[in-house]
Amino acid sequence: MTRLSFSLTKPWQHLTLVQNYPALVTVVLTVVLVLTIGLSLTQGSVSLTGTEVWQAILRSGSPMQQTIIWELRLPRIIAGVLVGASLGMSGALLQGMLRNSLADAYILGISAGAGLVAIVLITLGLFLTWVPLAAWLGAILVSLLVYTLARTSVGISIERLILGGVAFSFLLFSIQTVFLLFAEEGRVQAALIWLTGSLNGRGWSEVKMSFPYIAIALLLGSTLGKTMNVLSLGDDLAVGLGISLGRSRIWIGAIATLLAASAVSIAGLVGFVGLVVPHGVRLLVGADYRWVLPLSAIAGAWVLTLSDLLARLGAIELPVGAVTSLLGCPLFIVLLYRRSKLAKGF
């Protein structure tokens, strides 16, 4: 019996040991991300060797291989890294701000706002080249409405923020359903692919459009670790330590919204990344948001890069959002199980 108890507790002891070395976790995640990007560059409908990929990057390989790398795979991978990093950090910011481990871009109506605008344009066949920008504006607008409803005389009410986001999400998703029911069959398929989330066809134009916003938001988000740590102690203690709850939550929410909206404008509605990644990162490095925020960005980039690689391996390419859901749902269950065991001192 003693031997069995030791074998069961040993993994959790190792996990606690890893939490003492967040810098090591950072290095490992970064290396894994780089290796996954390298592997992703070699895989596709036309397989390339590492040497051929390197020659194409240096523009010394065959013209066809250079086209494959520079015009197809490289911009798509960079777009995936940006989307994954944005969703990962956005989820960590929202979960920390709301002190709710189930918070992500869906809970504040961000995804619903972007989805409605995109579905309206796609199903009506209007301004299709402007769908990413329109989705970004829709997400920002709905987030502003939700924050307006949540404002009180003393600041932002967490309860009203969550309830307002859920209410707007249900309303906007219902309107999306109506548009899909009356749309032409070909447009419905295009709309469903966008709702599922996909990186297919993403090029340098999407990367150039969103990179400045995402880069600035990621840098600003990485500086919020100390504020997030204080907020996690509770409202009364945070106020006692000189933190303005209303101003802090508006600033955190604005950065999280910008990140999520930018991600949606590139890849559509990709689920589970913003929900699962912060859980996994906190399991690895603890609850110190000075590490959780940047590592959520790195881990999110890796998860989406890996999911997009898996989506392209079959005979038929899958939407990357479907792969993240297939991977994220069981992984989320496992993470919740592990956290419950750790909380009980198993």
Side-chain angles (χ1 to χ4, degrees):
M1 182 67 183
T2 304
R3 190 175 298 174
L4 176 61
S5 176
F6 177 78
S7 64
L8 287 175
T9 57
K10 193 173 182 180
W12 316 124
Q13 293 172 348
H14 286 176
L15 191 58
T16 303
L17 182 63
V18 170
Q19 292 179 352
N20 296 326
Y21 299 96
L24 176 61
V25 175
T26 304
V27 173
V28 171
L29 282 177
T30 303
V31 171
V32 170
L33 172 60
V34 172
L35 292 176
T36 305
I37 290 174
L39 180 62
S40 185
L41 285 171
T42 65
Q43 300 300 312
S45 57
V46 178
S47 297
L48 302 176
T49 65
T51 302
E52 290 173 337
V53 169
W54 184 247
Q55 290 176 345
I57 291 176
L58 297 178
R59 297 191 182 276
S60 60
S62 71
M64 183 188 72
Q65 293 173 353
Q66 292 184 39
T67 301
I68 291 174
I69 294 298
W70 281 99
E71 301 301 327
L72 298 177
R73 293 183 187 173
L74 193 57
R76 176 171 177 157
I77 291 172
I78 293 176
V81 169
L82 292 175
V83 170
S86 299
L87 292 176
M89 182 177 285
S90 176
L93 287 170
L94 292 175
Q95 289 176 15
M97 180 186 72
L98 301 178
R99 293 197 292 272
N100 186 334
S101 59
L102 298 179
D104 67 349
Y106 286 86
I107 202 169
L108 296 185
I110 300 172
S111 297
L116 177 61
V117 175
I119 293 307
V120 170
L121 295 182
I122 292 173
T123 55
L124 296 180
L126 300 174
F127 308 109
L128 296 181
T129 57
W130 294 95
V131 167
L133 178 60
W136 186 83
L137 293 175
I140 299 294
L141 177 60
V142 173
S143 300
L144 290 176
L145 292 175
V146 172
Y147 269 92
T148 301
L149 289 177
R151 286 185 65 87
T152 64
S153 58
V154 294
I156 299 295
S157 169
I158 295 296
E159 292 79 10
R160 292 176 65 174
L161 190 66
I162 295 175
L163 291 175
V166 171
F168 267 101
S169 295
F170 275 107
L171 173 63
L172 298 182
F173 280 130
S174 299
I175 299 174
Q176 288 179 29
T177 303
V178 173
F179 274 91
L180 289 173
L181 287 174
F182 290 97
E184 298 177 2
E185 183 176 353
R187 292 174 180 174
V188 169
Q189 183 177 3
L192 290 177
I193 291 176
W194 198 92
L195 285 175
T196 308
S198 176
L199 290 172
N200 186 23
R202 302 306 185 267
W204 291 114
S205 59
E206 288 82 6
V207 172
K208 292 177 181 179
M209 178 188 70
S210 58
F211 179 79
Y213 305 103
I214 292 177
I216 293 173
L218 289 174
L219 290 174
L220 293 176
S222 298
T223 65
L224 295 174
K226 291 184 179 179
T227 301
M228 299 286 290
N229 285 338
V230 175
L231 290 177
S232 66
L233 299 176
D235 292 353
D236 294 336
L237 187 55
V239 172
L241 293 174
I243 297 294
S244 173
L245 296 180
R247 189 182 306 114
S248 298
R249 285 170 178 162
I250 290 176
W251 183 237
I252 294 170
I255 295 176
T257 299
L258 179 59
L259 286 170
S262 300
V264 170
S265 70
I266 297 175
L269 306 186
V270 178
F272 275 99
V273 177
L275 181 62
V276 175
V277 166
H279 279 273
V281 170
R282 285 194 294 268
L283 197 63
L284 290 174
V285 299
D288 188 347
Y289 278 91
R290 291 175 299 176
W291 291 101
V292 170
L293 292 175
L295 285 178
S296 292
I298 297 174
W302 172 69
V303 168
L304 202 65
T305 303
L306 177 62
S307 298
D308 185 51
L309 173 60
L310 296 176
R312 294 189 284 114
L313 289 180
I316 299 177
E317 180 176 327
L318 298 174
V320 69
V323 178
T324 58
S325 297
L326 289 173
L327 296 177
C329 184
L331 181 59
F332 186 59
I333 294 173
V334 171
L335 290 176
L336 288 179
Y337 176 77
R338 286 191 172 186
R339 289 183 70 86
S340 66
K341 291 299 182 183
L342 286 173
K344 294 177 182 177
F346 185 76

